[in-house]
Amino acid sequence: QVQLVESGGGLVQAGGSLRLSCAVSGIILRINDMGWYRQAPGKQREWVASMTGSSNTNYADSVKGRFSISGDYAKKMGYLQMNSLKPEDTAVYYCTATLMERLGLYKTYWGQGTQVAVSS
């Protein structure tokens, strides 16, 4: 059974850093792309960053220059390095990935989320 499991969230002061990890478990052929979303209390889930292949990255304007998405697909891992954190970054962060489960069969998965809280 394929699952995504996030880790690395926590409480940090404004200006601090956190590194989120996303582990893909289960048997897959390859990772096609990975991304991160977040959902703050009372708000809709929003896109944060995405990576297609191993080097094509994109970021929401609100995190550009502060967050960095990366991945080690051989290890079935994805990461989100978050620097210069602000209180408005407080949210539950979700990892998502499109995986090839067998030739020609792609499926998108979501993790359960990890809480990030930034104090002022």
Side-chain angles (χ1 to χ4, degrees):
Q1 183 178 359
V2 176
Q3 288 185 319
L4 302 186
V5 179
E6 302 99 332
S7 60
L11 174 64
V12 64
Q13 287 189 330
S17 298
L18 283 173
R19 188 192 196 206
L20 304 183
S21 297
C22 177
V24 179
S25 65
I27 299 174
I28 61 169
L29 293 184
R30 63 185 292 264
I31 297 174
N32 190 63
D33 56 69
M34 297 188 82
W36 292 88
Y37 285 71
R38 67 186 181 186
Q39 187 167 18
K43 295 187 177 182
Q44 289 189 331
R45 189 175 297 190
E46 64 173 359
W47 169 72
V48 174
S50 58
M51 182 171 69
T52 302
S54 59
S55 59
N56 184 19
T57 59
N58 290 281
Y59 300 92
D61 288 343
S62 59
V63 307
K64 202 171 292 183
R66 300 188 298 122
F67 289 13
S68 178
I69 186 172
S70 63
D72 185 340
Y73 287 176
K75 295 182 178 179
K76 298 193 297 181
M77 292 292 299
Y79 307 98
L80 184 67
Q81 178 67 42
M82 306 186 295
N83 300 326
S84 303
L85 282 162
K86 305 175 181 180
E88 51 264 42
D89 294 318
T90 295
V92 177
Y93 283 71
Y94 298 89
C95 172
T96 180
T98 300
L99 312 173
M100 182 192 287
E101 295 187 325
R102 54 180 186 268
L103 286 177
L105 178 62
Y106 292 88
K107 188 173 180 180
T108 298
Y109 289 86
W110 290 82
Q112 83 289 348
T114 185
Q115 177 71 54
V116 171
V118 184
S119 62
S120 57

